[in-house]
Amino acid sequence: MSLRMEQTNATFWRGFVFLGFSSFGELQLLLFALFLSLYLVTLTSNVFIIVVIRLESHLHTPMYLFLSFLAFSETCYTLGIIPRMLSGLVRGEQGISFVGCAVQMFFSTSWACTNCFLLAVMGFDRYVAICAPLHYASRMNLTLCAQLVGTSFLSGSLFGLGMTLVIFHLPFCSSHEIQHFFCDTPPVLSLACGDTGLSELGILILSLLVLMVSFSLIAVSYTCILAAILRLSSTEGRKKAFSTCASHLTVVVVHYSCASFVYLRPKASYSLQRDQLIAVTYTVVTPLLNPIIYSLRNRAVQTALRNAFQGGLLGKG
């Protein structure tokens, strides 16, 4: 018992070491250049969307308000993960304290959960816009929008805190080397000693709650939207109604596919080496896809971005 306590205390003070992509050898510099380029594009795109929506008065609607908060959430999510990953690619092994690891897990899971709830809120917004267009302005008022956004952030933080506590109440008395580039739940949980069955069950339940509750709200919204679209007599009206949902639906499919694969798999399918590569998808690629999808499929955003870009060039000229 005393030995176990000594080992646990040693792990607490020593913290953890990210092995990251150390096994890739000389390819690490190439990966650094690739990930840095993708990250800069992601960061620039999300910040640009936030600024454009803030400056363009015709985008001051609930739909674009929610989009700006989604971009903000994605930006905060990547800020807590990617800079440290890039540093690790240059420096090799990289240490993080026990508390620092817990904080990183809290923020990464909180922002990930917040994204799920924001996508559900955006689905509700599309439901009101299509199924009750005459009452849209009165129902989706500024007060309700603020409450929905606040609830999303608060819910995400509570679930993130719950997932972090479920893991970090365990003793860590084995290897302190994390086969990953950030403190994600599976690699950190694999370092805990003793029976982790209850913690795994807790993570599964919390993940199911986040994903199923938010996805169920989206599914109900789009079931009502589909029924409303099918009742439209005009083909042009159906196309226009569907086009307002296309960007959101695409983001939902990408986001929930990655999240479900990561958090709802049985433990037997975990592979830390493979999961590290998969993690690149939802930490680097997915945050990049969101602004690209909205920019390519939403004419209002395209026009605003074009105007902002042309205005910047003219201002310089």
Side-chain angles (χ1 to χ4, degrees):
M1 181 65 180
S2 60
L3 176 61
R4 179 174 175 177
M5 288 299 295
E6 289 175 4
Q7 290 175 319
T8 303
N9 290 335
T11 302
F12 178 85
W13 290 110
R14 182 177 59 225
F16 303 101
V17 174
F18 293 124
L19 296 185
F21 297 94
S22 57
S23 61
F24 283 67
E26 296 180 354
L27 289 176
Q28 288 184 83
L29 291 180
L30 179 62
L31 290 175
F32 171 81
L34 174 62
F35 293 155
L36 177 61
S37 301
L38 292 175
Y39 178 57
L40 290 177
V41 173
T42 301
L43 191 62
T44 303
S45 301
N46 279 309
V47 171
F48 203 42
I49 283 181
I50 294 171
V51 172
V52 166
I53 291 175
R54 175 68 179 86
L55 295 179
E56 294 288 336
S57 58
H58 69 281
L59 296 181
H60 293 176
T61 63
M63 175 181 175
Y64 297 106
L65 173 68
F66 296 139
L67 174 58
S68 66
F69 277 107
L70 180 64
F72 173 76
S73 181
E74 289 282 20
T75 300
C76 293
Y77 174 72
T78 56
L79 278 173
I81 297 174
I82 299 181
R84 181 177 283 273
M85 178 189 74
L86 294 173
S87 175
L89 283 169
V90 174
R91 297 169 53 188
E93 293 184 1
Q94 188 177 38
I96 186 172
S97 68
F98 184 90
V99 174
C101 187
V103 170
Q104 186 184 54
M105 181 178 291
F106 166 69
F107 280 108
S108 63
T109 53
S110 294
W111 290 118
C113 293
T114 296
N115 289 343
C116 291
F117 293 121
L118 284 174
L119 288 173
V121 166
M122 294 171 76
F124 174 72
D125 172 70
R126 292 300 82 205
Y127 156 74
V128 177
I130 293 175
C131 298
L134 298 179
H135 303 284
Y136 180 75
S138 60
R139 291 184 180 179
M140 296 302 296
N141 54 63
L142 183 60
T143 301
L144 178 60
C145 292
Q147 291 173 343
L148 290 173
V149 170
T151 300
S152 298
F153 281 97
L154 178 60
S155 300
S157 298
L158 290 175
F159 277 102
L161 179 62
M163 291 186 183
T164 304
L165 291 176
V166 164
I167 290 182
F168 280 90
H169 84 283
L170 294 169
F172 292 89
C173 50
S174 57
S175 172
H176 62 284
E177 296 178 338
I178 300 179
Q179 298 284 342
H180 212 45
F181 55 85
F182 77 104
C183 290
D184 204 3
T185 50
V188 175
L189 187 59
S190 68
L191 299 182
C193 59
D195 185 10
T196 61
L198 287 178
S199 294
E200 291 167 12
L201 179 61
I203 292 295
L204 179 62
I205 291 174
L206 290 171
S207 300
L208 279 172
L209 281 173
V210 173
L211 294 175
M212 296 308 295
V213 169
S214 58
F215 186 77
S216 295
L217 293 173
I218 294 173
V220 170
S221 296
Y222 274 100
T223 298
C224 297
I225 289 172
L226 181 60
I229 291 177
L230 292 176
R231 287 197 297 268
L232 296 175
S233 56
S234 168
T235 303
E236 187 64 27
R238 291 180 180 179
K239 289 182 179 179
K240 185 177 180 180
F242 181 75
S243 67
T244 65
C245 304
S247 300
H248 179 252
L249 270 176
T250 306
V251 172
V252 165
V253 170
V254 172
H255 183 85
Y256 280 88
S257 297
C258 291
S260 299
F261 180 80
V262 172
Y263 293 103
L264 300 184
R265 290 173 300 161
K267 184 181 178 182
S269 65
Y270 285 161
S271 171
L272 295 179
Q273 293 286 349
R274 182 192 62 196
D275 288 359
Q276 180 175 293
L277 297 177
I278 295 172
V280 173
T281 302
Y282 60 85
T283 56
V284 180
V285 179
T286 301
L288 172 62
L289 289 178
N290 291 350
I292 290 177
I293 290 170
Y294 274 100
S295 298
L296 292 178
R297 299 197 60 89
N298 191 294
R299 290 185 179 179
V301 174
Q302 288 178 18
T303 303
L305 291 173
R306 186 163 52 248
N307 291 340
F309 181 71
Q310 291 174 350
L313 290 181
L314 292 174
K316 290 180 179 180

